[in-house]
Amino acid sequence: MPQKILIVDDEPNIVLSLEFLMKREGFQVAVAADGDAALEQVQAFAPDLVLLDVMMPKKSGYEVCEILRADPARSAMKIVMLTAKGRDTEVAKGLALGADAYVTKPFSTKDLVAQVRSLLAAG
C-alpha cells in the first residue's frame, strides 16, 4: 500500500507541482488549501507525512503543527514545514513546535523527495 502524503499550501501552483511530484514518486496524495482544511484532511485521509506551508489563511502552518503534535494518535505522522521564510528564528520555531524538517522555498524537488523518503523510512 502506498504511503500517504497530505500537501497543505494556499498557492495553487505549488500544490499542483507538489501533487504531481509526489504522485510520480508513487505516493497517495491529498491536498488542502488552508489550516482548517488541513486538519479535516488529516482526520479523513490519515497521512503518513504532511507537507505544511507556514503562511496560510484560517490557521498558519505553525498552528496546524501544534494542534497535530498535541494529538497522541498522530505522534508517528511526519511533518515537513515549507516556507519562504528561511530565517533561523522561523526554522527554530517550526522545529520547536514539532516539525520533523523545515524546507525553504524555492526548494529543489530532488532534495524534497529525498527528505520525504528519508523521514518515511525512519518512520
Side-chain angles (χ1 to χ4, degrees):
M1 195 167 102
Q3 288 176 302
K4 299 196 279 189
I5 294 181
L6 173 61
I7 298 165
V8 186
D9 202 306
D10 60 330
E11 292 182 42
N13 57 337
I14 291 176
V15 170
L16 279 172
S17 62
L18 285 174
E19 186 177 14
F20 173 79
L21 175 70
M22 294 302 160
K23 282 182 175 174
R24 193 183 71 200
E25 291 294 320
F27 296 108
Q28 192 177 336
V29 177
V31 299
D34 63 56
D36 288 345
L39 294 171
E40 288 167 20
Q41 279 286 40
V42 165
Q43 292 289 37
F45 184 65
D48 298 297
L49 184 141
V50 180
L51 292 173
L52 184 60
D53 185 28
V54 170
M55 304 298 289
M56 289 184 302
K58 298 186 181 168
K59 281 186 177 57
S60 73
Y62 293 133
E63 290 172 282
V64 172
C65 183
E66 201 168 12
I67 290 165
L68 294 175
R69 285 300 180 229
D71 181 352
R74 307 265 173 246
S75 62
M77 188 174 57
K78 302 296 182 190
I79 299 176
V80 178
M81 307 285 291
L82 298 175
T83 186
K85 293 183 168 191
R87 296 200 317 260
D88 292 346
T89 52
E90 268 89 14
V91 174
K93 181 176 179 180
L95 297 174
L97 289 173
D100 296 286
Y102 205 98
V103 176
T104 324
K105 297 175 189 173
F107 46 80
S108 148
T109 53
K110 196 175 103 190
D111 291 348
L112 181 63
V113 168
Q115 179 93 42
V116 164
R117 290 210 176 279
S118 163
L119 284 169
L120 289 171

